[in-house]
Amino acid sequence: MSNAPSLVWPEGGNTRIPYQIYSDPAIFRMEMDRIFSGAGWAYVGLEIEIPNPGDFKVTRVGDRSVVITRDEHGEIRGFVNRCAHRGVKLCRHEFGNTRFFVCPYHQWSYDATGALRGVPFIKGVNQLGGMPEDFERTDYALPRLITCMRNGVIFGSFAASMPPLETYLGEVNTRYFDRVFDGRGLKLLGYSRQLIPGNWKLMFENIKDPYHASLLHVFLVTFGLFRADQKSQVRMDPTGRHALLISQRGEAKASAATRDISNLREDFVLQDKRLLDPVKEFPDDATVVMQTIWPNLIVQQQSNTLALRQIQPRGPGSFELHWTFFGYVDDDETMTRRRLRQANLMSAAGLVSGDDSEVIKLTQEGVMRHPDDAGVLLMGGRDSNDTQHMVTETALRAFYSHYRAVMGF
Amino acid sequence: MAVDVALQFELEDLYSRYASLLDDGPLRDWPDLFAQECLYLLIPRDNYDRGLPLAIIRCESRGMLVDRVRAAQETIMHEPRYLRHHVTNVRVTAVHGGRIDAIAHFSVMEVLPDELPRVLCVGRYIDVLQRREDGALEFVEKRCVYDSVLVPNTIVYPI
């Protein structure tokens, strides 16, 4: 048992965020147990990544490596990627197809459900050695995740039982989830991976924070993709753990909303306008929907780039941001090309997301040296209600309301 | 294939200029090493090996390279940094119809304020070149396939 963290949340409730939560190793361990191994549906992959029986992928839930498989009956399974014998990381490949997962150390082997199927020399060699009489392979199955799937997206949980995903997401968040994952076949376009030197919660805060988006992201604002004066909404589920930032593209011109941006580049004209040729593809008028799903997923629809960003914590001071870009099987060549071009804005080299990974690093450098201080979340008031504008930190306050309940802070 | 010594030196000189422009500038002149109609991809090796098209930088013309450079310099908020490109193992793999296929290895070091140097990106260039009217070589296609798929934070400038 690790040391229980000691934290006194500062006065001011969810409008004050103690910097200790970004760097304290004991808090991090408790987050891995309560948040990532607790009552949450964590994103683990897409159905198209493991289409056939025997297929597997390795990913992480929290900082723990897990294997997601499709068993011989076509069922999706998940288990911890760690041999029950000596704790060795069992599967060393990110993707593949196999009947058995064999530990390299003593060749204990497991099937696609995580059941222990083989132990070499279990009866000994020439009547020598072997496991004790009471050794039962069934006692050594790998810890399993329960899984669920909705329109091609796979979630896993270490909880013994979980409500269905639509109950977990709530009505509004389910509706927007289904807006992107509407049952059409998905087409995998590729991955981008980056190791960001900041606490994992800073990534969620970033995507739940529309206040920064119109100020930090000069590229977005310059080309009118996101502006503080656009028609927009922030919406949460009843618990506050999931959120939606919904916005509608406006004009690329100076206005009251850009007056406070000191480095706006009004004279920046693209040499090749194909970089930004968004087309409407969803029934509603929203051009940006950023959805954050507790505990590890961001669903990104920025114009025509669709991506899942999975947050994989790697200790209190860093996390991997693992991006999976996709389109639909019915996309034509032009649409696929458009999605690939717009991905220039969002990736480990993103013209827009680069601002975020850089600012998260700077945040971590600031907060980790001052664990007894606290950040301020007062924009838009003190509540955590839905809003019809972007000048607010309401979704961060909602997130921390839920975080505090789960963590007991 | 016999080594064309003159071509080999010409290529080595081009890659050296390429590295100098990225590392010491002027960066705005770097797109001039490419044809007007060109393709530049910075693509993780796992995507490349699996035939997945996603690149983290995709420029489909010299104009897009100019836009990328300008955005890196003027719109992306980032810590100041120095890069140092080391290009080695330059080799011609085919010459056909005025086009030259070449590969080279690269490793790019990054120096951030207050930090020790680190490897930002390592991989290989898979390139197609052609000659301009004046005889100079230019890149028509450049695929920067990087092995270091887990990027240390952010790639701001081209590789």
Side-chain angles (χ1 to χ4, degrees), chain A residues 210 213-214 220-221 223-228 230 245 247 288 302 390:
Chain A
S214 62
L220 275 191
V221 177
F223 296 105
L225 294 174
F226 195 101
R227 299 271 278 259
Q230 285 167 8
L245 270 55
S247 174
V288 185
Q302 161 59 269
M390 284 288 168

Side-chain angles (χ1 to χ4, degrees), chain B residues 33-93:
Chain B
L33 300 182
F34 290 79
Q36 193 65 47
E37 296 299 315
C38 65
L39 180 68
Y40 172 96
L41 301 177
L42 175 58
I43 182 166
R45 181 170 179 166
D46 46 2
N47 287 354
Y48 185 80
D49 288 349
R50 295 176 63 193
L52 297 171
L54 187 99
I56 65 168
I57 299 179
R58 167 181 292 268
C59 295
E60 298 178 354
S61 66
R62 192 195 291 165
M64 278 196 205
L65 294 169
V66 171
D67 294 334
R68 162 60 65 164
V69 165
R70 182 154 184 207
Q73 290 181 312
E74 297 183 23
T75 75
I76 302 177
M77 192 290 294
H78 60 279
E79 283 187 290
R81 61 201 60 206
Y82 297 130
L83 300 187
R84 192 59 58 190
H85 286 66
H86 301 278
V87 184
T88 61
N89 305 60
V90 177
R91 189 160 60 88
V92 175
T93 54

Side-chain angles (χ1 to χ4, degrees), chain A residues 356-371:
Chain A
D356 294 323
S357 43
E358 288 289 299
V359 92
I360 285 172
K361 181 191 179 202
L362 298 177
T363 308
Q364 186 71 17
E365 286 183 357
V367 298
M368 69 189 293
R369 311 292 173 202
H370 303 275

Side-chain angles (χ1 to χ4, degrees), chain A residues 95 189 191 193-195 197 265 267 271-272 274 325 337 341 344 347-349 355 357-358 361, chain B residues 47 50 52-54 56-58 60-61 67-68 70 74 76-77 79 81 115 149 151 153-155:
Chain A
F95 293 97
L189 297 180
Y191 304 94
R193 298 175 60 192
Q194 62 191 128
L195 193 65
R265 295 287 166 179
D267 61 333
Q271 301 275 311
D272 190 332
R274 292 177 303 167
F325 292 81
R337 183 62 70 91
R341 268 190 216 123
N344 276 300
S347 74
D355 300 330
S357 43
E358 288 289 299
K361 181 191 179 202
Chain B
N47 287 354
R50 295 176 63 193
L52 297 171
L54 187 99
I56 65 168
I57 299 179
R58 167 181 292 268
E60 298 178 354
S61 66
D67 294 334
R68 162 60 65 164
R70 182 154 184 207
E74 297 183 23
I76 302 177
M77 192 290 294
E79 283 187 290
R81 61 201 60 206
E115 292 183 32
V149 293
V151 171
N153 209 22
T154 318
I155 292 178

Side-chain angles (χ1 to χ4, degrees), chain A residues 71 150 169 253 260 282 367:
Chain A
D71 71 16
R150 188 172 179 90
L169 292 177
K253 62 170 197 263
D260 290 341
F282 295 102
V367 298

